[in-house]
CSV table of all heavy atoms in Angstrom, one decimal:
chain,number,residue,atom,x,y,z
C,1,PRO,N,102.3,175.4,133.8
C,1,PRO,CA,101.6,174.2,133.4
C,1,PRO,C,102.5,172.9,133.5
C,1,PRO,O,103.7,173.0,133.2
C,1,PRO,CB,101.2,174.4,132.0
C,1,PRO,CG,102.1,175.5,131.5
C,1,PRO,CD,102.5,176.3,132.7
C,2,ASP,N,101.9,171.8,134.0
C,2,ASP,CA,102.6,170.6,134.1
C,2,ASP,C,102.6,169.9,132.7
C,2,ASP,O,101.6,169.7,132.1
C,2,ASP,CB,101.9,169.7,135.1
C,2,ASP,CG,102.7,168.4,135.4
C,2,ASP,OD1,103.8,168.3,134.9
C,2,ASP,OD2,102.1,167.5,136.0
C,3,ALA,N,103.8,169.5,132.2
C,3,ALA,CA,103.9,169.0,130.8
C,3,ALA,C,103.4,167.5,130.8
C,3,ALA,O,103.1,167.0,129.8
C,3,ALA,CB,105.3,169.1,130.3
C,4,THR,N,103.4,166.8,131.9
C,4,THR,CA,103.1,165.4,131.9
C,4,THR,C,101.7,165.1,131.5
C,4,THR,O,101.5,164.2,130.6
C,4,THR,CB,103.3,164.8,133.4
C,4,THR,OG1,104.7,165.2,133.7
C,4,THR,CG2,103.2,163.4,133.4
C,5,PRO,N,100.6,165.7,131.9
C,5,PRO,CA,99.3,165.4,131.4
C,5,PRO,C,99.2,165.7,129.9
C,5,PRO,O,98.5,164.9,129.2
C,5,PRO,CB,98.4,166.3,132.2
C,5,PRO,CG,99.1,166.6,133.4
C,5,PRO,CD,100.5,166.7,133.0
C,6,THR,N,99.8,166.7,129.4
C,6,THR,CA,99.7,167.0,128.0
C,6,THR,C,100.4,165.9,127.2
C,6,THR,O,99.8,165.5,126.2
C,6,THR,CB,100.4,168.4,127.7
C,6,THR,OG1,99.8,169.4,128.5
C,6,THR,CG2,100.2,168.8,126.2
C,7,THR,N,101.5,165.5,127.6
C,7,THR,CA,102.2,164.4,126.9
C,7,THR,C,101.4,163.1,127.0
C,7,THR,O,101.3,162.4,126.0
C,7,THR,CB,103.6,164.2,127.6
C,7,THR,OG1,104.3,165.4,127.6
C,7,THR,CG2,104.4,163.2,126.8
C,8,ARG,N,100.9,162.8,128.1
C,8,ARG,CA,100.0,161.6,128.2
C,8,ARG,C,98.8,161.7,127.3
C,8,ARG,O,98.4,160.7,126.8
C,8,ARG,CB,99.6,161.4,129.6
C,8,ARG,CG,100.7,160.6,130.4
C,8,ARG,CD,100.1,160.2,131.7
C,8,ARG,NE,101.1,160.4,132.7
C,8,ARG,CZ,100.9,160.9,133.9
C,8,ARG,NH1,99.7,161.2,134.3
C,8,ARG,NH2,101.9,161.1,134.7
C,9,GLN,N,98.2,162.9,127.2
C,9,GLN,CA,97.0,163.0,126.4
C,9,GLN,C,97.3,163.0,124.9
C,9,GLN,O,96.4,162.8,124.1
C,9,GLN,CB,96.3,164.3,126.8
C,9,GLN,CG,95.7,164.2,128.2
C,9,GLN,CD,95.1,165.5,128.6
C,9,GLN,OE1,95.1,166.5,127.9
C,9,GLN,NE2,94.5,165.5,129.8
C,10,ALA,N,98.6,163.3,124.5
C,10,ALA,CA,98.9,163.4,123.1
C,10,ALA,C,99.0,162.0,122.4
C,10,ALA,O,98.8,161.9,121.2
C,10,ALA,CB,100.2,164.2,122.9
C,11,PHE,N,99.4,161.0,123.2
C,11,PHE,CA,99.7,159.7,122.7
C,11,PHE,C,98.8,158.7,123.5
C,11,PHE,O,98.6,158.8,124.7
C,11,PHE,CB,101.1,159.3,122.9
C,11,PHE,CG,102.1,160.2,122.3
C,11,PHE,CD1,102.8,161.1,123.1
C,11,PHE,CD2,102.3,160.2,120.9
C,11,PHE,CE1,103.7,161.9,122.5
C,11,PHE,CE2,103.2,161.1,120.3
C,11,PHE,CZ,103.9,162.0,121.1
C,12,LEU,N,98.3,157.7,122.8
C,12,LEU,CA,97.5,156.7,123.4
C,12,LEU,C,98.1,155.3,123.2
C,12,LEU,O,98.6,155.0,122.1
C,12,LEU,CB,96.0,156.7,122.9
C,12,LEU,CG,95.2,158.0,123.1
C,12,LEU,CD1,93.9,157.8,122.4
C,12,LEU,CD2,95.0,158.2,124.6
C,13,SER,N,98.0,154.4,124.2
C,13,SER,CA,98.4,153.0,124.0
C,13,SER,C,97.3,152.3,123.1
C,13,SER,O,96.3,152.9,122.8
C,13,SER,CB,98.5,152.4,125.3
C,13,SER,OG,97.2,152.3,125.9
C,14,VAL,N,97.6,151.1,122.8
C,14,VAL,CA,96.6,150.3,122.0
C,14,VAL,C,95.3,150.2,122.7
C,14,VAL,O,94.2,150.4,122.1
C,14,VAL,CB,97.2,148.9,121.6
C,14,VAL,CG1,96.1,148.1,120.9
C,14,VAL,CG2,98.4,149.1,120.7
C,15,LYS,N,95.4,149.9,124.0
C,15,LYS,CA,94.1,149.8,124.8
C,15,LYS,C,93.4,151.1,124.8
C,15,LYS,O,92.1,151.1,124.6
C,15,LYS,CB,94.5,149.3,126.2
C,15,LYS,CG,93.4,149.2,127.1
C,15,LYS,CD,93.8,148.8,128.5
C,15,LYS,CE,92.6,148.8,129.5
C,15,LYS,NZ,93.0,148.5,130.8
C,16,ASP,N,94.1,152.2,125.1
C,16,ASP,CA,93.4,153.5,125.2
C,16,ASP,C,92.9,153.9,123.8
C,16,ASP,O,91.8,154.5,123.7
C,16,ASP,CB,94.3,154.6,125.8
C,16,ASP,CG,94.7,154.3,127.2
C,16,ASP,OD1,93.9,153.6,127.9
C,16,ASP,OD2,95.8,154.7,127.6
C,17,ALA,N,93.6,153.7,122.8
C,17,ALA,CA,93.2,154.1,121.4
C,17,ALA,C,91.9,153.3,121.0
C,17,ALA,O,91.0,153.8,120.4
C,17,ALA,CB,94.3,153.8,120.4
C,18,ALA,N,91.9,152.0,121.4
C,18,ALA,CA,90.8,151.1,121.1
C,18,ALA,C,89.5,151.7,121.8
C,18,ALA,O,88.4,151.8,121.3
C,18,ALA,CB,91.0,149.7,121.5
C,19,GLU,N,89.7,152.1,123.1
C,19,GLU,CA,88.6,152.6,123.8
C,19,GLU,C,88.2,154.0,123.2
C,19,GLU,O,87.0,154.2,123.1
C,19,GLU,CB,89.0,152.8,125.3
C,19,GLU,CG,87.9,153.3,126.2
C,19,GLU,CD,88.4,153.5,127.6
C,19,GLU,OE1,89.2,152.6,128.1
C,19,GLU,OE2,87.9,154.4,128.3
C,20,TYR,N,89.1,154.8,122.8
C,20,TYR,CA,88.8,156.1,122.2
C,20,TYR,C,88.0,155.9,120.9
C,20,TYR,O,87.1,156.6,120.6
C,20,TYR,CB,90.1,156.8,121.8
C,20,TYR,CG,90.0,158.2,121.3
C,20,TYR,CD1,89.7,159.2,122.1
C,20,TYR,CD2,90.2,158.4,119.9
C,20,TYR,CE1,89.6,160.5,121.6
C,20,TYR,CE2,90.1,159.7,119.4
C,20,TYR,CZ,89.8,160.8,120.3
C,20,TYR,OH,89.7,162.0,119.8
C,21,LEU,N,88.3,154.8,120.1
C,21,LEU,CA,87.6,154.6,118.9
C,21,LEU,C,86.4,153.7,119.0
C,21,LEU,O,85.6,153.5,118.1
C,21,LEU,CB,88.6,153.9,117.9
C,21,LEU,CG,89.7,154.7,117.4
C,21,LEU,CD1,90.7,153.9,116.6
C,21,LEU,CD2,89.3,155.9,116.6
C,22,GLY,N,86.2,153.1,120.2
C,22,GLY,CA,85.1,152.2,120.4
C,22,GLY,C,85.3,150.9,119.8
C,22,GLY,O,84.3,150.2,119.4
C,23,LEU,N,86.5,150.4,119.7
C,23,LEU,CA,86.9,149.1,119.2
C,23,LEU,C,87.6,148.3,120.2
C,23,LEU,O,87.9,148.7,121.3
C,23,LEU,CB,87.8,149.3,118.0
C,23,LEU,CG,87.4,150.2,116.8
C,23,LEU,CD1,88.5,150.6,115.9
C,23,LEU,CD2,86.3,149.5,116.1
C,24,SER,N,87.8,147.0,119.8
C,24,SER,CA,88.6,146.2,120.7
C,24,SER,C,90.1,146.3,120.4
C,24,SER,O,90.5,146.6,119.2
C,24,SER,CB,88.2,144.7,120.6
C,24,SER,OG,88.7,144.2,119.3
C,25,PRO,N,91.0,146.2,121.4
C,25,PRO,CA,92.4,146.2,121.1
C,25,PRO,C,92.8,145.2,120.0
C,25,PRO,O,93.7,145.5,119.2
C,25,PRO,CB,93.1,145.9,122.4
C,25,PRO,CG,92.1,146.3,123.5
C,25,PRO,CD,90.7,146.0,122.8
C,26,HIS,N,92.2,144.0,120.0
C,26,HIS,CA,92.5,143.0,119.0
C,26,HIS,C,92.3,143.5,117.6
C,26,HIS,O,93.1,143.3,116.7
C,26,HIS,CB,91.7,141.8,119.3
C,26,HIS,CG,91.9,140.7,118.3
C,26,HIS,ND1,93.1,139.9,118.3
C,26,HIS,CD2,91.2,140.2,117.2
C,26,HIS,CE1,93.0,139.1,117.3
C,26,HIS,NE2,91.9,139.2,116.6
C,27,THR,N,91.2,144.3,117.4
C,27,THR,CA,90.9,144.9,116.1
C,27,THR,C,92.1,145.8,115.7
C,27,THR,O,92.5,145.7,114.5
C,27,THR,CB,89.6,145.6,116.1
C,27,THR,OG1,88.5,144.7,116.4
C,27,THR,CG2,89.3,146.3,114.8
C,28,LEU,N,92.5,146.6,116.6
C,28,LEU,CA,93.7,147.5,116.2
C,28,LEU,C,94.9,146.7,115.9
C,28,LEU,O,95.7,147.1,115.0
C,28,LEU,CB,93.9,148.5,117.3
C,28,LEU,CG,92.9,149.6,117.5
C,28,LEU,CD1,93.3,150.6,118.6
C,28,LEU,CD2,92.8,150.4,116.2
C,29,TYR,N,95.2,145.6,116.6
C,29,TYR,CA,96.4,144.8,116.3
C,29,TYR,C,96.2,144.2,115.0
C,29,TYR,O,97.2,144.1,114.2
C,29,TYR,CB,96.5,143.7,117.4
C,29,TYR,CG,97.2,144.2,118.6
C,29,TYR,CD1,96.6,144.2,119.9
C,29,TYR,CD2,98.5,144.7,118.6
C,29,TYR,CE1,97.2,144.6,121.0
C,29,TYR,CE2,99.2,145.2,119.7
C,29,TYR,CZ,98.5,145.1,120.9
C,29,TYR,OH,99.2,145.6,122.1
C,30,VAL,N,95.0,143.7,114.6
C,30,VAL,CA,94.8,143.1,113.3
C,30,VAL,C,95.0,144.1,112.2
C,30,VAL,O,95.7,143.9,111.2
C,30,VAL,CB,93.4,142.4,113.2
C,30,VAL,CG1,93.1,142.0,111.8
C,30,VAL,CG2,93.4,141.2,114.2
C,31,TRP,N,94.4,145.3,112.4
C,31,TRP,CA,94.5,146.3,111.4
C,31,TRP,C,96.0,146.7,111.2
C,31,TRP,O,96.5,147.0,110.1
C,31,TRP,CB,93.7,147.5,111.8
C,31,TRP,CG,92.3,147.4,111.5
C,31,TRP,CD1,91.6,146.4,110.9
C,31,TRP,CD2,91.2,148.3,111.9
C,31,TRP,NE1,90.3,146.6,110.9
C,31,TRP,CE2,90.0,147.8,111.5
C,31,TRP,CE3,91.2,149.5,112.6
C,31,TRP,CZ2,88.8,148.4,111.7
C,31,TRP,CZ3,90.0,150.2,112.8
C,31,TRP,CH2,88.8,149.6,112.4
C,32,ARG,N,96.7,146.8,112.3
C,32,ARG,CA,98.2,147.2,112.2
C,32,ARG,C,98.9,146.1,111.5
C,32,ARG,O,99.8,146.4,110.6
C,32,ARG,CB,98.7,147.4,113.6
C,32,ARG,CG,100.2,147.7,113.6
C,32,ARG,CD,100.7,148.1,115.0
C,32,ARG,NE,102.1,148.1,115.1
C,32,ARG,CZ,102.9,149.1,114.8
C,32,ARG,NH1,102.3,150.2,114.3
C,32,ARG,NH2,104.2,149.1,114.9
C,33,HIS,N,98.6,144.9,111.7
C,33,HIS,CA,99.3,143.8,111.0
C,33,HIS,C,99.0,143.8,109.5
C,33,HIS,O,99.9,143.5,108.7
C,33,HIS,CB,98.9,142.4,111.6
C,33,HIS,CG,99.4,141.2,110.9
C,33,HIS,ND1,100.7,140.9,111.0
C,33,HIS,CD2,98.8,140.3,110.1
C,33,HIS,CE1,100.9,139.8,110.3
C,33,HIS,NE2,99.8,139.4,109.7
C,34,ARG,N,97.8,144.1,109.2
C,34,ARG,CA,97.4,144.2,107.8
C,34,ARG,C,97.7,145.6,107.1
C,34,ARG,O,97.4,145.8,105.9
C,34,ARG,CB,95.9,144.0,107.7
C,34,ARG,CG,95.4,142.6,108.0
C,34,ARG,CD,94.0,142.4,107.9
C,34,ARG,NE,93.6,141.1,108.3
C,34,ARG,CZ,92.3,140.7,108.5
C,34,ARG,NH1,91.3,141.6,108.3
C,34,ARG,NH2,92.1,139.5,108.8
C,35,ARG,N,98.3,146.4,107.9
C,35,ARG,CA,98.7,147.8,107.4
C,35,ARG,C,97.5,148.6,107.0
C,35,ARG,O,97.6,149.3,106.0
C,35,ARG,CB,99.8,147.7,106.4
C,35,ARG,CG,101.0,147.0,106.8
C,35,ARG,CD,102.2,147.2,105.8
C,35,ARG,NE,103.3,146.4,106.2
C,35,ARG,CZ,104.2,146.7,107.1
C,35,ARG,NH1,104.1,147.8,107.8
C,35,ARG,NH2,105.3,146.0,107.3
C,36,ASN,N,96.4,148.5,107.7
C,36,ASN,CA,95.3,149.4,107.5
C,36,ASN,C,94.8,149.9,108.8
C,36,ASN,O,95.4,149.5,109.9
C,36,ASN,CB,94.2,148.8,106.6
C,36,ASN,CG,93.6,147.6,107.3
C,36,ASN,OD1,93.9,147.2,108.4
C,36,ASN,ND2,92.8,146.9,106.5
C,37,GLY,N,93.9,150.8,108.8
C,37,GLY,CA,93.4,151.4,110.1
C,37,GLY,C,94.2,152.6,110.4
C,37,GLY,O,94.9,153.1,109.6
C,38,PRO,N,94.0,153.2,111.6
C,38,PRO,CA,94.7,154.4,111.9
C,38,PRO,C,96.2,154.3,112.0
C,38,PRO,O,96.7,153.2,112.4
C,38,PRO,CB,94.1,154.8,113.3
C,38,PRO,CG,93.6,153.6,113.8
C,38,PRO,CD,93.2,152.7,112.7
C,39,PRO,N,97.0,155.3,111.7
C,39,PRO,CA,98.5,155.2,111.8
C,39,PRO,C,98.9,155.1,113.2
C,39,PRO,O,98.4,155.7,114.1
C,39,PRO,CB,98.9,156.5,111.1
C,39,PRO,CG,97.8,157.5,111.3
C,39,PRO,CD,96.6,156.6,111.2
C,40,SER,N,100.0,154.2,113.4
C,40,SER,CA,100.5,154.0,114.7
C,40,SER,C,102.0,153.9,114.5
C,40,SER,O,102.6,153.9,113.4
C,40,SER,CB,100.0,152.7,115.3
C,40,SER,OG,100.3,151.6,114.4
C,41,PHE,N,102.7,153.9,115.6
C,41,PHE,CA,104.2,153.8,115.6
C,41,PHE,C,104.7,153.2,116.9
C,41,PHE,O,103.9,153.0,117.9
C,41,PHE,CB,104.8,155.2,115.4
C,41,PHE,CG,104.5,156.1,116.5
C,41,PHE,CD1,105.4,156.3,117.6
C,41,PHE,CD2,103.3,156.8,116.6
C,41,PHE,CE1,105.1,157.2,118.6
C,41,PHE,CE2,103.0,157.7,117.6
C,41,PHE,CZ,103.9,157.9,118.6
């Protein structure tokens, strides 16, 4: 098995996470700034 697709699927960028949740990337940035919303790093 190729490890690259698994690694890419385990983590999402802000844009991809926003798409996954059905939100805008700006919403995730605001939530991160306010320390609420889904955990990020």
Side-chain angles (χ1 to χ4, degrees):
D2 184 13
T4 306
T6 306
T7 305
R8 276 192 222 137
Q9 291 175 358
F11 305 106
L12 296 176
S13 66
V14 174
K15 180 182 174 186
D16 294 335
E19 185 177 324
Y20 184 79
L21 295 171
L23 302 168
S24 74
H26 179 73
T27 298
L28 286 180
Y29 278 119
V30 170
W31 284 353
R32 180 174 165 80
H33 176 73
R34 293 179 181 170
R35 300 193 187 280
N36 59 8
S40 60
F41 62 96

